[in-house]
Amino acid sequence: MDLVLYAPGLGYYSAGSAKLGSSGDFVTAPEVSDLFSQCVARQVAEVLSITEGEILELGAGTGRMAATVLEALAAEGVLPERYSILEVSGDLAQRQRERLRSLPVGLRERVVWLERLPERPIRGVVLANEVLDALPCQRFVVAGAGIEAEPPVATVARNAGVDWLSGRGPLANASAPARSVVEVGVSMDGDRFVERTASPDEALASACEALLSELPQALSPGYTSEVCLRLEPWLAGVGDCLERGLILLFDYGLPRSHYYHPQRVSGTLRCHFKHRAHDDPYVNVGIQDITAWVDFTRVAQAAVAAGLEVAGFSTQAAFLLAMGIERLAASGSGDIVEQTRRAGEARRLLLPGEMGEAFKAMALIRDYDGALAGFGLQDLRHSL
Ligand SMILES: C[S@@+](CC[C@H](N)C(=O)[O-])C[C@H]1O[C@@H](n2cnc3c(N)ncnc32)[C@H](O)[C@@H]1O
């Protein structure tokens, strides 16, 4: 997953495919409607009015959220000193530059692109929409009768992954029976990529052991899912950047007990190619997006370990309603066509069958005791 998303010059995020938008593979909330970013801006304004300081956006996509947030903050008179963007994708950073060039100079000059997380912690707000789901995760298969392909190992789960076999020899050998090795690709030289399970390394073994022991219901042998071990170092790094203020995260995901529900037997890994979602990561390699849902219990635990406080957790719909999306949608100017368009966009962001329920908002704070209006309608922290 790491290679097909991020290998320099070849990975989905490091090469030049369109990715977001109608000519790309998927659409995110800021691309669906500026109403989303206008609501985000209201939450940002509430925090900036207390902390002052700046905004850091991680993974800014096309730059549309940055542009809308800056315009909305300018209208409210609560502009940040700086709007920094940390973007791992070179071509998305280029699109952001082009998009933000059209802003009035007083806004444009506040935007800077960073090569790495800031060394000096900031006051203000860190934003990340749909970044957590893009962090490479690891797949595991719950171990048990019929699952171990190698001499029994004392682990609760095996690592499911991709291996490379040189030449055209048999797929199976004594330590890996044929049924557990599946050919998923052939190179021009006839070498094969296979999907198989293997003993987990120590980090994956202990992560699986911890999470499986915490679940309310045991999972059956063969149950396959994902765990994102990049989350802890990522959040520790982001947390270190915040001296005072809010980290506001949006993504599709669930609390752990729902994520690893016994009925979700094949996990949450999904691929997006030209607006079609499917579950085959072995096609369109490097030109399709691969994501996994976010285990928000893991995010909360990683946040606490990083010295942050989980100040809010709600559905995206509850966040947007608390920030007044209905009034924003109704109050904009424009003719009936424009108003109908805005109402449709709001429905897409809010409805349970669209983005309203699957997407969650999470607020992590450090040294901040002000209000967070976006989390005033619903508090799902008990479910984490
Ligand atoms: C699914 S897109 C979301 C883009 C944008 N936030 C939006 O909502 O439209 C994921 C974004 O995260 C960026 N990204 C992926 N891994 C990242 C990382 N480790 N740090 C910062 N950005 C990252 C990608 O390049 C891309 O801009």
Side-chain angles (χ1 to χ4, degrees), residues 30 259 262 305 311 324 341:
Y259 191 108
R341 185 186 56 75

Side-chain angles (χ1 to χ4, degrees), residues 6 13 20 26 28 30-31 57-61 86-89 92 129-131 134-135 234:
Y6 299 105
Y13 280 108
L20 292 102
F26 56 89
T28 59
E31 301 292 326
E57 185 179 354
L58 306 168
L86 178 63
E87 175 56 69
V88 295
S89 163
L92 284 178
N129 186 61
E130 284 204 45
V131 177
L135 299 179
W234 186 85

Side-chain angles (χ1 to χ4, degrees), residues 63-192:
R64 184 161 168 184
M65 180 159 93
T68 308
V69 164
L70 278 167
E71 283 164 344
L73 290 176
E76 297 210 25
V78 200
L79 274 172
E81 289 157 17
R82 219 160 59 128
Y83 194 114
S84 310
I85 294 177
L86 178 63
E87 175 56 69
V88 295
S89 163
D91 67 294
L92 284 178
Q94 187 52 32
R95 269 167 89 178
Q96 293 156 16
R97 285 194 170 85
E98 281 156 23
R99 173 70 184 79
L100 294 165
R101 208 171 281 151
S102 61
L103 286 175
V105 66
L107 303 183
R108 191 172 68 211
E109 65 191 12
R110 288 168 203 264
V111 185
V112 292
W113 280 264
L114 307 178
E115 293 292 321
R116 61 189 72 83
L117 287 167
E119 271 161 30
R120 264 195 325 142
I122 64 160
R123 275 176 299 111
V125 181
V126 180
L127 296 173
N129 186 61
E130 284 204 45
V131 177
L132 295 176
D133 69 83
L135 299 179
C137 60
Q138 279 176 270
R139 291 201 107 183
F140 65 85
V141 181
V142 174
I147 300 302
E148 283 90 352
E150 286 167 11
V153 272
T155 54
V156 294
R158 293 180 59 77
N159 187 2
V162 180
D163 205 352
W164 177 69
L165 297 182
S166 181
R168 280 243 143 248
L171 282 183
N173 59 37
S175 70
R179 63 177 163 66
S180 61
V181 184
V182 180
E183 186 174 300
V184 293
V186 185
S187 79
M188 288 201 289
D189 303 330
D191 297 334
R192 285 164 302 165

Side-chain angles (χ1 to χ4, degrees), residues 38 44 78 106 135 137 147 202 204 251 277-278 304 314 318 331 349:
Q38 286 160 2
V44 170
V78 200
L135 299 179
C137 60
I147 300 302
E202 212 180 305
L204 181 61
D251 227 307
H278 65 90
V304 171
S314 76
S331 66
L349 294 172

